Amino acid sequence: TLPVGKYLIGLSIFYLGNPAHYALIIGLFTLLVFYGLCRRMFNSTKVAIILVTLLILEPLFFTQLTKAWIDLLQLLLKKAVIV
């Protein structure tokens, strides 16, 4: 696992008192990066919005949004490398 994710979760707990804020912030960045990737791939805003909506409704992604797991940071970094 990435030590950066552990440090970010620790900072979230230290400054905000709750690791859920980390998951929310990383989740929003993941959605933005995924939107940019889909828009670039399909050259369509409508298709990108539909695909982001499907990602939000995915049970695994939704579960990771509600819990501070490191997997969400890994997803964000993998998508950012592709873009």
Side-chain angles (χ1 to χ4, degrees):
T1 60
L2 295 173
V4 175
K6 294 177 184 179
Y7 292 139
L8 289 175
I9 292 172
L11 286 173
S12 175
I13 293 171
F14 183 74
Y15 286 115
L16 303 172
N18 192 351
H21 293 91
Y22 155 81
L24 182 64
I25 292 168
I26 297 296
L28 289 175
F29 280 129
T30 302
L31 291 174
L32 288 173
V33 169
F34 187 69
Y35 171 78
L37 177 66
C38 291
R39 188 158 182 229
R40 183 179 290 181
M41 283 177 59
F42 297 109
N43 291 327
S44 172
T45 304
K46 285 183 182 181
V47 172
I49 290 173
I50 290 170
L51 292 175
V52 168
T53 305
L54 289 175
L55 179 63
I56 292 171
L57 296 176
E58 171 68 31
L60 180 62
F61 184 77
F62 186 75
T63 301
Q64 289 181 354
L65 271 181
T66 58
K67 305 203 184 304
W69 291 346
I70 298 174
D71 297 340
L72 199 58
L73 179 65
Q74 290 177 348
L75 176 66
L76 171 65
L77 294 176
K78 288 178 184 177
K79 296 293 180 205
V81 167
I82 293 172
V83 171

